[in-house]
Amino acid sequence: MSDCIFCKIIEKSIPSEVVYEDDKMLAFKDIRPSAPVHLLLIPKKHIASLQELSVEDAELIGAMMLAVPQIAAQNGLQHGFKTQINTGVQGGQEVFHLHIHIMGRPV
Ligand code: AMP
Ligand code: ZN
């Protein structure tokens, strides 16, 4: 998606502070953090939101959920964290590329 800011982050055509990357997903620091640690985990495949997720994405979303606690722990949140997925306009979604917010305070 040429007009998608998170696709541009994946392509590295706009900068971000990447904290985790593999062939399927990317995690980076939220530019306007609402917690001391505030990361966004996104699939490299452009999926607009949870509402556009299909059965063929089951393995991908499963892999992302399994990665969440590992990425959190690597960033100081081994004792717990909050996750959030805003979905659709009414759900407060601003960037229409599926993302999992990972937020917390390191101890
Ligand atoms: P949402 O409301 O769930 O769509 O959240 C979008 C999030 O993306 C917000 O927390 C923004 O601060 C964050 N964001 C927007 N642009 C960037 C960017 N270029 N780099 C990092 N985070 C961003
Ligand atoms: Zn995208």
Side-chain angles (χ1 to χ4, degrees), residues 1 5 13 17 25-27 34-35 40 62 64 72-73 81 83 98-99 106:
M1 288 280 284
I5 190 165
S13 61
E17 287 190 68
M25 66 191 88
L26 184 76
S34 54
L40 300 173
M64 289 177 64
F81 51 86
T83 52
L98 178 63
H99 51 281

Side-chain angles (χ1 to χ4, degrees), residues 44-95:
K44 287 191 171 175
K45 175 182 177 182
H46 179 88
I47 300 168
S49 81
L50 276 186
Q51 290 174 315
E52 281 74 30
L53 202 61
S54 67
V55 171
E56 68 184 32
D57 301 316
E59 190 176 332
L60 171 61
I61 197 74
M64 289 177 64
M65 293 308 290
L66 288 167
V68 165
Q70 295 184 29
I71 295 166
Q74 287 162 7
N75 288 273
L77 304 179
Q78 59 272 24
H79 297 295
F81 51 86
K82 294 182 182 182
T83 52
Q84 186 168 327
I85 304 175
N86 297 329
T87 302
V89 174
Q90 292 294 327
Q93 187 175 4
E94 292 176 2
V95 178

